[in-house]
Structure formats: C-alpha cells, structure tokens
Amino acid sequence: MNEALAVLAFHQVYDPVGGNIALSALIAGVPLYILFIMLAVLRLPAWISALVAMLSAAVLAALVWGMPLGLDASATTEGMANGLWPISWIVLNAVFFHNLTIASGDFDVIRRSLTRLTEDRRVQALLVAFCFGALMEGIAGFGAPVAISAAILASLGFEPISAAVLALLANTAPVAFGSIGIPVVTLGLLTAPIIGHGAADQTPVTLALSAMVGRQLPVFSIIIPAFLIVVLAGWRRMLEVLPAVLAAGVVFAIVQFLVSNFIGPELTDVLAALVSMAAVALLLRVWKPRTLWGFAADRDAAAAGGTARLRSVGAAVAQAVDPPGRIVRAYMMYVILVVVILIGQMGNLPFFSGSPPGNVKNALHTPANITADFKCGQPAYKLCPNPWIGPSPTKDAGAFKFPFWRFQWPGSYSGTSAKPKPEIFQEPKIVTKSTPYPVTFTWDFLSAAGSLVLFACIFAFIVMAIRGAPLRLFFTTYGRTLRQLALPIMTIAFILGIAAVMNFSGMTFTLALLMANAGGFFPFFSAVIGALGVFLTGSDTASNTLFGPMQAITAKQIVIGGHHLNPILTAGTNSSGGVMGKMISPQNLSVGAAGVNRVGAEGEIFRRTIGYSLILTAAVGIVAMIEVYLIPGIIPTLS
C-alpha cells in the first residue's frame, strides 16, 4: 500500500526555538491559545475553532519542529481517524440509545416515575439533577445531561437560572465516566504508549486509569449531593434531608468505586446512577422529610384561615399515570444496555480474565469468552491469536483483518505494510535512547464500546418491536442521531487531530518538559490543567485528548522520594480535575441556558458557578497531593 511513498525519518526535537525550552513551550501552546480565544472570547462554533487550531498545530509541526510534510499529514489524519473510531462511534451509538428511549416513550415514563416520588424540592433536585443527570451522562454525555435535567427542573417550577446552576453543579462527579466511559477510554488510547510499552497495552492502561479516577471522584460523589442542596436551600435545610443526601451520594460513590476498579469505565455511571436512584426511591417508602420544603410560588393563595400547601408535582409534569408494568418496561431498556455491555466486556472482568489478569492458564477461553472472540487477531493476544478473516498479525501486520485490525497508519512508515518500519523517533530527555514512536490505528470492529452499545440498541429495539414499534423507527432515529451529531463528530475529529500532531511532532513533550519545573506540586496543577482543558473545550474527553499525554510525560520527568511520579496519577487527575471545569465552560453554560429557555443569561450562570468550580478544582488537586504523599499505595500500578 505504501511501497511507492517516500518517508523521511523524523527525530523529535524538544527545544527548537533557540535551544530554549521556555520559548519553545510558549510557541507549542499556540494551538491551545487559538482554541481558547476562538471558543471563550470570540464565541465561534466549536468545529471551526478546532479546525483552525488543528491547522495551526500542523503548520507549527512542519515549520518549527521540522516534521516532514508527509509525516505531518499522516499524524494529523490518524488523529482525526481516532476521533471517528472509537470515540465518535461510542458517542453516536450512546446518543442513539437515548433517542430510542425518547422515541419509544420510555424516557418520559422514567422522568414521570422520578418526579412523582416526592413533592419536596430538595429531594427532587437530588433525583433529577444528580441521579437522573448521572444516568444521562453515563449514556449520552456531551451536554445532554445538563440540558435535560435543567429542563426537567424548570418544568417542575424551579426558577430557571437556579435550575441551570443545579444541573451544572450536579454534572461533575459523573462526567469522567460519561458517554459509556469515553473520557477514560480516550485517555487510555492516547497514553498507552507513554504509560505502558505501546498501543498493545491500551486495555490494561485504560483499566488502571479507570481505577485511578475511581479512587478520586467517589469522594466528590458524596460531597456533591450535599453541596447541591446547600446551594438550593441552605445548610440547615440540607440537614433535614440528610438521609436522602447520603442515600444518593454514598450509594453512588460505592458503586462508582467498585465498577471503575473491578469492571472498567464503560458502565460506571450507568450502574451507579441506577442503583443510586433505586436507593433513594426505596428510602422514600420508609422515610419522608419532616417538613416539605418548596418555593414561595409553590403555595396556593390560601383562603382566609386556610393552610398553604405545595403544588402537586404531577400537575407540573403531566397528568398521565403510568402503570407499574409500563415503568418496569421502561427501565428494562437500561438493564438490556448493562447486560449486553457486561457480556461484551466479560473477558476483562475478575474471574473471567484469569489470575493475574491475562493469564492464559486460568482465563476463560473462546468461544465462551465473548471478549476474546471479539479480539481475535489482536497482536500478542494469546487467547485468540488468529483473526476470523485475514492473515496472522505476525505474518502481515498491514493486511485487512477481522474482527481486530491494528496497523501502521499510511504515510507514517517505510518498507512495506506487511513489515512496516516506524519513521518517528522519540529522543533523550523523554526516553533514555532514540526510540521508534509508531503511528498506529486500531479497528476493533466488535469489541469497541460503541459496537457493544449498538448491539444493546438492537436488542432493546427488538423488545420495542415486540411491543409494536415499527421497524422504520430504528432507521429514522439513527438518521436523526447522525444529523444531530454531525458537527460534534467533526469537532471531536479535529480535537484528536490537534492532539495527534502535537504528540507525534514533539510539541506535547516540549510543554511537558516545561511543566516538569512544577516539581512536587505538579499533582495539584494536574487538576487545574484538566479543569482548564474542559473550560476550553466543554468536554472531559477533549481535555484528556489535549492534556492527558502531556500529564503522563511530565510525571516521568519528576522525581519524588527517589521515584518518578506515577503517570497514571497525573493522567487520571487530569480527568478528575477536568470535571470541575465543566460548569463554567462556555459551551455548557450555553447548553444550560438554552435548556431553561434563558439564552443570553450565560453570564449570570457563570457568576453563580465560578466560585464552586474553583473550590472543587482545588479540592481535586489536594486529593491528588494526599494520594502522592500520604497514601501512595492507592495509586494503581501496571504489572
């Protein structure tokens, strides 16, 4: 495929501007400055901002870092391809699943079932903003949770701006595992060559990062529900509903910790949100707030000598009353999603994955191991070394394979596609000796999280069809989802293009070498950098894309107590800190304002959330410092 294409070897240089690392880092940050100015200052569309920033990165890579044009184009297009697969593939099918639940009426049934549980405004805020918002984050992500939960709160009679603030504040602790775990999956994809030994380590690196984030955010999953009610009603009113606050937060935190550490990132939010909602619902069967709390507008004009009462929530939502069987069927859609993904991921789970993980002697083998079936042909994968279609990876690395195909990206190697030779090399300061840095692409057709979600959509629709849904609903909903996500998918592709060209040209490493000057305080700044990335882009996934590799590389340059700082800690903290910047991101402020029909009120929402964002970001940084210096054993390590 590439025999006729001449490729010039490229050795990364980290101080190309006058041999000065500070000046070089200043120039390396230009694509990020452009992204900031166009998004936050000029308020231009995200896809245009990302495209211009990507082109600027490609120009700098060629003119300043000396990257040959062929390799420059290869790295940029490989990043864009990663934006489409697996990242946009997950987003597309997750949002499709959500749209199917809307089209079938299941979404409205679940919404009504939640809002009828209580008339107390504080508990409503917990259920809608925190629990249901987390479920929407786990399935759809990318602004949907804020828009949906804010709109529901406003429809219930919450003051619109307050509804948006509550939705933004609640949309923090779940964000790192949003959209079927895509922020952590992306982080693992981009940092595997840095934290592990190459692209083949993506799964263990992703699981380690999932565990790291899952050992930070549960602290905030407990705090956020209480914080939410304090913002809404004050400290004393929060204590009056403390049982509900603890049921929502503690249960969510426990499930978040267990799933992220022992299963993986994909189902963390979905399972935690479902169990948290169930816990609050069960609590409300045996406990009620001593006094109902509401807004002044909730009270009817009472007749002389009459008693004021809270307005019925049912009147604010809908008059329909769903029978218990219909409610069960609505929730079954989410049960199907969980079961299908768990079956697809079974090979990564304890008991099935062997002891230690990956041990061929006691792991579950094919065909019973669905994960192994779907990964047949993955290089060095002993459970199923040969693909269903195509030659063995050891015989021809570049030939098409199914269901798993990893190959050197066209334009990035010399020789033949059967035996490609990487032509990008990392150099000392970053590595101990000149080391090849392959530009690889993985096409895991069946095992990708997005494919598993699509399978869940198909099974869920079969259930809907049995209940009478027409076949055309499946295809019209998918088409509508494609149109809905066209621009976001373009934006994701361009953001990944920025990251790829900065990584492969050496620009990211230049920034990392400068950041290493923070020394022992860097774990704190890891959270700040992550929050800045989300503020810029509106997405924890995009923040992990832009800054995750830099965080991992910087950690390897810092020595604390005779040991290098663990890159899993800094990369994970980028994601954990990033979630706290989401409530002040211009994109999410716009989503929140639009959700409550208050376009133009973004400034007021920003003023009411900026303090919370700064406090929580600093708190994540402090947690990271505590983990490094007081409880280092909590940081996952790769075997």
Side-chain angles (χ1 to χ4, degrees):
M1 179 166 55
N2 252 37
E3 292 88 347
L5 180 62
V7 178
L8 298 176
F10 170 62
H11 295 262
Q12 292 178 346
V13 178
Y14 307 121
D15 53 357
V17 183
N20 186 298
I21 195 68
L23 287 176
S24 300
L26 184 67
I27 301 301
V30 166
L32 306 180
Y33 313 149
I34 290 173
L35 197 62
F36 174 82
I37 292 170
M38 295 186 72
L39 283 174
V41 180
L42 301 180
R43 305 295 297 274
L44 293 172
W47 72 271
I48 294 177
S49 305
L51 173 61
V52 173
M54 182 186 73
L55 294 175
S56 72
V59 170
L60 286 172
L63 297 183
V64 181
W65 271 260
M67 194 177 197
L69 290 177
L71 289 175
D72 195 349
S74 177
T76 306
T77 53
E78 188 269 350
M80 294 175 64
N82 273 316
L84 299 176
W85 186 286
I87 297 169
S88 293
W89 181 238
I90 298 176
V91 176
L92 175 65
N93 290 309
V95 175
F96 173 53
F97 181 90
H98 173 60
N99 287 345
L100 271 181
T101 66
I102 294 175
S104 66
D106 292 323
F107 177 82
D108 286 333
V109 172
I110 292 172
R111 184 184 69 168
R112 288 193 292 265
S113 75
L114 290 176
T115 53
R116 292 182 190 282
L117 285 173
T118 179
E119 291 188 350
D120 189 283
R121 296 303 198 177
R122 297 163 295 184
V123 184
Q124 286 177 11
L126 281 176
L127 284 166
V128 174
F130 183 73
C131 299
F132 191 59
L135 180 62
M136 290 298 96
E137 180 64 44
I139 294 171
F142 291 89
V146 172
I148 292 169
S149 57
I152 294 174
L153 289 174
S155 74
L156 290 172
F158 282 69
E159 192 275 320
I161 301 300
S162 295
V165 169
L166 294 173
L168 287 162
L169 180 57
N171 191 229
T172 47
V175 167
F177 298 103
S179 198
I180 316 296
I182 189 60
V184 175
V185 170
T186 304
L187 192 60
L189 170 73
L190 295 175
T191 60
I194 301 164
I195 295 176
H197 304 289
D201 291 320
Q202 182 182 336
T203 296
V205 167
T206 299
L207 293 176
L209 290 166
S210 176
M212 184 70 258
V213 177
R215 299 175 192 186
Q216 294 176 329
L217 287 183
V219 175
F220 298 91
S221 296
I222 296 173
I223 294 172
I224 291 296
F227 200 4
L228 197 69
I229 305 307
V230 170
V231 170
L232 174 64
W235 177 261
R236 184 172 64 85
R237 294 293 188 183
M238 186 277 292
L239 293 177
E240 292 176 355
V241 292
L242 189 60
V245 169
L246 293 176
V250 173
V251 170
F252 188 95
I254 291 172
V255 178
Q256 185 182 48
F257 170 79
L258 292 174
V259 177
S260 61
N261 277 264
F262 299 106
I263 295 178
E266 290 85 359
L267 287 175
T268 298
D269 276 353
V270 176
L271 286 173
L274 288 172
V275 177
S276 179
M277 279 192 289
V280 177
L282 291 173
L283 174 69
L284 290 172
R285 289 181 173 271
V286 297
W287 169 89
K288 301 290 182 186
R290 198 171 281 179
T291 57
L292 285 179
W293 182 85
F295 311 125
D298 289 328
R299 304 190 178 278
D300 296 327
T307 302
R309 62 181 178 81
L310 287 177
R311 187 173 54 192
S312 166
V313 174
V317 182
Q319 296 299 324
V321 177
D322 302 296
R326 181 67 183 91
I327 296 173
V328 170
R329 290 202 307 270
Y331 280 99
M332 276 300 297
M333 296 301 100
Y334 298 94
V335 173
I336 290 171
L337 176 69
V338 170
V339 170
V340 170
I341 293 178
L342 281 177
I343 291 173
Q345 297 278 19
M346 63 189 301
N348 298 327
L349 305 180
F351 180 76
F352 297 113
S353 62
S355 180
N359 187 346
V360 179
K361 294 181 179 179
N362 52 26
L364 183 66
H365 284 256
T366 57
N369 187 333
I370 302 299
T371 307
D373 295 334
F374 286 175
K375 288 187 175 181
C376 286
Q378 177 176 329
Y381 191 64
K382 296 179 182 178
L383 285 176
C384 192
N386 295 315
W388 302 355
I389 300 172
S392 167
T394 58
K395 293 182 178 179
D396 190 338
F400 174 80
K401 302 170 189 65
F402 183 87
F404 192 100
W405 185 22
R406 177 177 293 135
F407 56 93
Q408 185 82 12
W409 189 253
S412 68
Y413 61 89
S414 59
T416 66
S417 61
K419 293 183 179 180
K421 296 179 181 179
E423 291 299 322
I424 297 177
F425 293 83
Q426 294 178 290
E427 298 300 322
K429 281 196 179 179
I430 297 299
V431 290
T432 55
K433 62 179 181 179
S434 185
T435 305
Y437 193 12
V439 184
T440 58
F441 184 78
T442 297
W443 217 331
D444 45 348
F445 298 92
L446 300 181
S447 62
S451 299
L452 298 179
V453 177
L454 179 59
F455 300 152
C457 292
I458 293 170
F459 283 113
F461 185 77
I462 291 172
V463 175
M464 295 177 190
I466 293 172
R467 286 156 34 189
L471 181 61
R472 68 176 181 276
L473 180 67
F474 186 93
F475 297 102
T476 57
T477 304
Y478 207 95
R480 186 170 68 252
T481 305
L482 279 169
R483 292 191 296 273
Q484 172 188 350
L485 293 177
L487 289 179
I489 285 174
M490 288 174 58
T491 303
I492 293 170
F494 295 148
I495 291 286
L496 267 290
I498 297 169
V501 74
M502 290 184 69
N503 291 344
F504 290 112
S505 67
M507 296 165 68
T508 299
F509 302 96
T510 300
L511 290 168
L513 289 171
L514 180 67
M515 292 287 181
N517 292 327
F521 289 100
F522 186 72
F524 179 87
F525 291 110
S526 290
V528 177
I529 292 168
L532 176 62
V534 176
F535 170 76
L536 284 172
T537 64
S539 164
D540 199 43
T541 302
S543 176
N544 288 345
T545 299
L546 291 175
F547 297 130
M550 183 188 73
Q551 298 264 20
I553 297 159
T554 303
K556 289 194 167 189
Q557 309 302 313
I558 297 173
V559 177
I560 296 176
H563 300 282
H564 287 285
L565 186 60
N566 193 323
I568 292 174
L569 179 279
T570 55
T573 303
N574 188 86
S575 193
S576 297
V579 306
M580 304 308 176
K582 193 161 188 180
M583 71 181 82
I584 57 171
S585 166
Q587 293 92 316
N588 286 287
L589 292 172
S590 298
V591 167
V596 296
N597 198 27
R598 289 293 188 275
V599 174
E602 292 86 352
E604 182 179 350
I605 299 172
F606 176 82
R607 287 190 292 273
R608 291 175 60 175
T609 55
I610 178 64
Y612 307 143
S613 177
L614 294 175
I615 291 169
L616 291 169
T617 300
V620 175
I622 291 169
V623 167
M625 294 287 283
I626 290 171
E627 289 174 329
V628 170
Y629 291 104
L630 298 182
I631 46 174
I634 201 173
I635 303 172
T637 56
L638 291 176
S639 57

